[in-house]
């Protein structure tokens, strides 16, 4: 087979097309060719599709940065370089760092100034086959882990990075804002830190119900006055210790400022389409808050795979819909029905 189907992005704002005669790439030295088994649709992919994202990228490219694949061919030296064999299932980290700049010298490879991104500057997983580059960090999928869970590795790894940044303590009251793929990952990862109470905040009741199954002690809508009362009761009126913001909604950020105690920690992982207007005195004069950002997933892909393989995090519950590659536009624009849980939509090129 020398040709394959692939979704190609020719520009932002609805310029995605399904190409049926895209050449199957040949792996060069150190490279790995995989058959894509499943590839997720991210909020960033939707922002590319509707033209609302903040990025500048080269066109055309194949989107899809959440993927799992089966090794079908390798270039010279790839097997030894990556510890892989034909038939292995594997995921690659989306960011590929180069050089030896300030950030890589300090172990912050996800922040390097010299980087490629699979599904953006290099072709990603919305295709029947894709290349894992020679410089990619590749992780074998543990035996017994489903394709759905393996496909969830990238958002879960992001979530774990955010939870690690927040430095949750045993006696903390922790709030997770947003029940999308990263929010649900944060909820499950934060539960493993054994905080005193774990609260999910999300508008949709169906997702709140699932959040309770996945480890939340309580779940509320953002505007529910019972949320404020519960936090006050748990903390003697002080406010929550940690607020993990994964929704990307500006109102959710400001809600966190209200709910946190003095010297509380607000971890921001959402991607925002609008600026947030806040009184900066809340950060310093009134609460002396710790405001932290979270970005990508350094050193956490392996952790994500391990936690799912051990049954400590349920990745299958977070990939709620699987569609054929040809239905990518439906996947990008799909809205859940009333009462339906939609967390992660994934594309299966084998269908």
């Amino acid at each position: 087979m020398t040709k394959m189907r692939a979704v190609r992005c020719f520009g932002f704002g609805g310029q995605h097309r399904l190409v049926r005669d895209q050449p199957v790439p040949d792996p060069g030295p150190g490279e790995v060719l995989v058959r894509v088994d499943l590839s997720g649709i991210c909020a960033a992919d939707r922002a590319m599709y509707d033209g609302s994202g903040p990025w500048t990228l080269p066109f055309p490219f194949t989107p899809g940065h959440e993927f799992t694949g089966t090794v079908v061919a390798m270039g010279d030296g790839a097997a030894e370089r990556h510890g892989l064999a034909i038939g292995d299932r594997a995921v690659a980290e989306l960011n590929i760092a180069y050089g030896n700049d300030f950030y890589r010298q300090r172990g912050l490879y996800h922040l390097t100034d010299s980087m490629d991104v699979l599904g953006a500057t290099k072709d990603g997983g919305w295709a029947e086959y894709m290349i894992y580059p020679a410089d990619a960090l590749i992780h074998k999928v543990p035996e017994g882990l489903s394709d759905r869970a393996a496909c969830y590795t990238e958002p879960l790894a992001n979530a774990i990075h955010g939870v690690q940044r927040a430095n949750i303590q045993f006696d903390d009251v922790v709030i997770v804002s947003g029940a999308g793929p990263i929010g649900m990952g944060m909820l499950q990862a934060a539960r493993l830190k054994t905080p005193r109470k774990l609260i999910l905040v999300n508008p949709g009741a169906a997702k709140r119900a699932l959040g309770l199954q996945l480890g939340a002690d309580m779940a509320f809508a953002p505007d529910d006055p019972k949320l404020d009362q519960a936090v006050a009761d748990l903390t003697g009126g002080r406010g929550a210790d940690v607020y993990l913001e994964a929704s990307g909604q500006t109102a959710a950020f400001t809600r966190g400022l209200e709910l946190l105690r003095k010297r509380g920690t607000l971890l921001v992982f959402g991607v925002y389409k609008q600026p947030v207007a806040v009184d900066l005195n809340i950060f310093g004069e009134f609460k002396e808050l710790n405001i932290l950002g979270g970005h990508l997933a350094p050193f956490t892909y392996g952790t994500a795979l391990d936690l799912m393989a051990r049954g400590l995090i349920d990745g299958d519950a977070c990939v709620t819909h699987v569609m054929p590659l040809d239905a990518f536009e439906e996947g990008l624009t799909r809205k859940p029905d009333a009462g339906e849980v939609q967390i992660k939509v994934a594309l299966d090129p084998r269908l």
Side-chain angles (χ1 to χ4, degrees), residues 5 8 25 56 72 82 91-92 94 98 111 158 167 193 210 241 248 251 262 282-283 293 296 299 327 336 345:
R5 291 173 300 137
R8 303 288 283 170
T56 300
V72 294
H82 303 293
V91 299
L94 70 87
Y98 307 107
L111 300 178
N158 277 260
N167 192 29
K193 294 289 187 177
L210 178 60
D241 302 284
K262 296 175 184 178
I282 299 171
F283 299 166
L296 294 178
F299 306 108
V345 179

Side-chain angles (χ1 to χ4, degrees), residues 2-340:
T2 58
K3 302 292 183 181
M4 67 176 182
R5 291 173 300 137
V7 177
R8 303 288 283 170
C9 176
F10 295 93
F12 294 156
Q15 299 186 59
H16 290 58
R17 301 287 182 272
L18 181 68
V19 176
R20 297 184 179 277
D21 60 351
Q22 184 74 9
V24 175
D26 291 320
E31 295 182 340
V32 178
L33 178 69
V34 300
R35 181 199 70 212
V36 178
D37 297 326
L38 211 60
S39 187
I41 296 176
C42 175
D45 295 313
R46 293 190 173 94
M48 293 178 192
Y49 184 74
D50 64 25
S52 63
W55 313 283
T56 300
L57 295 174
F59 302 107
F61 65 88
T62 296
H65 58 265
E66 307 169 356
F67 44 75
T68 181
T70 298
V71 177
V72 294
M74 288 184 280
D76 290 344
E80 297 77 15
R81 184 184 185 104
H82 303 293
L84 293 173
I86 301 298
D88 282 344
R89 297 160 65 226
V91 299
E93 298 194 17
L94 70 87
N95 57 308
I96 302 164
Y98 307 107
N100 190 32
D101 67 4
F102 175 93
Y103 298 102
R104 291 196 78 193
Q105 290 173 14
R106 288 155 178 80
L108 303 173
Y109 67 93
H110 64 305
L111 300 178
T112 181
D113 294 321
S114 300
M115 181 190 301
D116 274 316
V117 179
L118 293 172
T121 66
K122 286 187 175 292
D123 290 340
W126 291 7
E128 293 182 271
Y129 296 88
M130 70 176 291
I131 289 287
Y132 291 173
D135 289 321
L137 298 173
I138 301 174
H139 305 266
K140 289 177 66 172
V141 175
E143 287 188 23
L145 198 67
S146 71
D147 288 337
R148 287 193 181 213
C151 175
Y152 185 58
T153 302
E154 193 273 342
L156 176 57
N158 277 260
I160 292 169
H161 175 50
V163 167
Q164 289 177 336
R165 289 271 287 159
N167 192 29
I168 293 168
Q169 302 298 306
F170 294 131
D171 198 43
D172 283 348
V173 172
V174 177
I175 298 174
V176 176
S177 168
I182 291 181
M184 284 300 200
M186 283 183 169
L187 180 73
Q188 296 185 75
R191 167 53 60 201
L192 298 177
K193 294 289 187 177
T194 64
R196 181 158 57 90
K197 288 294 180 183
L198 183 58
I199 301 171
L200 174 64
V201 176
N202 189 77
K207 283 187 175 180
R208 294 200 301 270
L210 178 60
L212 290 169
Q213 296 176 31
L214 294 178
D217 297 304
M218 302 174 173
F220 300 95
D223 57 354
D224 188 341
K226 294 179 181 178
L227 168 60
D228 301 76
Q229 190 60 54
V231 172
D233 291 345
L234 287 166
T235 63
R238 291 188 306 276
D241 302 284
V242 177
Y243 187 91
L244 304 172
E245 207 311 274
S247 74
Q249 301 296 315
T250 55
F253 178 87
T254 55
R255 193 75 172 99
L257 299 178
E258 297 169 356
L259 291 167
L260 279 170
R261 65 166 171 84
K262 296 175 184 178
R263 268 292 181 104
T265 296
L266 195 157
L267 185 283
V268 181
F269 220 103
V271 177
Y272 298 84
K273 296 182 180 180
Q274 298 175 347
V276 180
V278 296
D279 180 359
L280 293 178
N281 287 316
I282 299 171
F283 299 166
E285 179 68 15
F286 299 138
K287 287 195 173 182
E288 198 175 78
L289 294 175
N290 300 309
I291 308 294
L292 300 173
H295 177 60
L296 294 178
F299 306 108
T300 52
Y301 273 71
T303 302
L305 287 164
D306 176 65
L307 291 175
M308 289 190 290
R310 288 194 282 152
L312 297 174
I313 287 181
D314 189 345
D316 291 276
C318 296
V319 181
T320 52
H321 297 74
V322 174
M323 309 176 74
L325 183 65
D326 294 31
F328 75 92
E329 286 188 295
E330 181 183 351
L332 282 164
T333 58
R334 189 184 192 280
K335 304 294 183 185
D337 296 329
E340 179 187 16

